[in-house]
Amino acid sequence: MNKLKELFLYGVFGVLATILDIAAYWFFTRFFNFSTVNATFWAWFTAVIFAYFTNHTFVFRSSEKSLTGIAREMFYFFSCRVITGAVDIIIMYVFVDVFKFDDVIVKTVSNIIVIILNYAASKLFIFKKK
């Protein structure tokens, strides 16, 4: 039952992070005229900050209390997100800038791929129960 609750919460906060990511991407491209890659980076950064705090607190209910433990957890979280952020940027570049697909549709599909990769990393490496 706890695993279903965890998966549900990850889904809820994953959807919220995805909405934030897509909205931030749209905002940066439409209001600041950022390039696809720059907007994707800043949208990703915004969503990762949100995701760390929600995953740490609500989804995986991290028991880390020491500064060293939290720093380690954050390092792994952000390192994994850098890798999946690079996947997001590559997908956006290839399918939007090279193949000229609709940017918001590609961003949505890219986020689904990234969410799956992020859950696996969070569950297996970052917030692994001791």
Side-chain angles (χ1 to χ4, degrees):
M1 193 63 150
N2 282 339
K3 290 189 187 278
L4 286 176
K5 182 179 177 184
E6 179 182 278
L7 195 55
F8 173 76
L9 288 172
Y10 186 82
V12 167
F13 289 113
V15 166
L16 291 174
T18 300
I19 291 169
L20 177 62
D21 185 57
I22 293 167
Y25 172 82
W26 183 86
F27 180 78
F28 289 129
T29 57
R30 279 23 177 215
F31 288 100
F32 291 107
N33 204 28
F34 281 18
S35 70
T36 301
V37 172
N38 284 338
T40 300
F41 170 79
W42 288 108
W44 166 85
F45 184 78
T46 304
V48 167
I49 297 296
F50 173 81
Y52 174 75
F53 288 106
T54 57
N55 279 284
H56 172 84
T57 306
F58 302 111
V59 178
F60 297 104
R61 297 177 188 234
S62 176
S63 60
E64 283 296 344
K65 301 288 186 236
S66 72
L67 186 57
T68 304
I70 291 171
R72 181 197 58 77
E73 192 178 83
M74 288 181 82
F75 173 78
Y76 287 128
F77 187 88
F78 285 97
S79 296
C80 288
R81 291 317 192 264
V82 164
I83 294 167
T84 58
V87 168
D88 187 26
I89 288 172
I90 291 166
I91 289 170
M92 291 299 291
Y93 175 75
V94 169
F95 289 99
V96 176
D97 291 345
V98 175
F99 292 117
K100 306 298 183 203
F101 291 169
D102 181 87
D103 61 339
V104 176
I105 292 171
V106 173
K107 186 69 175 152
T108 302
V109 172
S110 180
N111 269 280
I112 292 167
I113 294 166
V114 166
I115 285 171
I116 293 167
L117 294 173
N118 286 339
Y119 180 78
S122 292
K123 184 72 177 166
L124 298 174
F125 304 113
I126 302 163
F127 299 108
K128 184 172 61 173
K129 302 291 182 202
K130 295 177 183 174

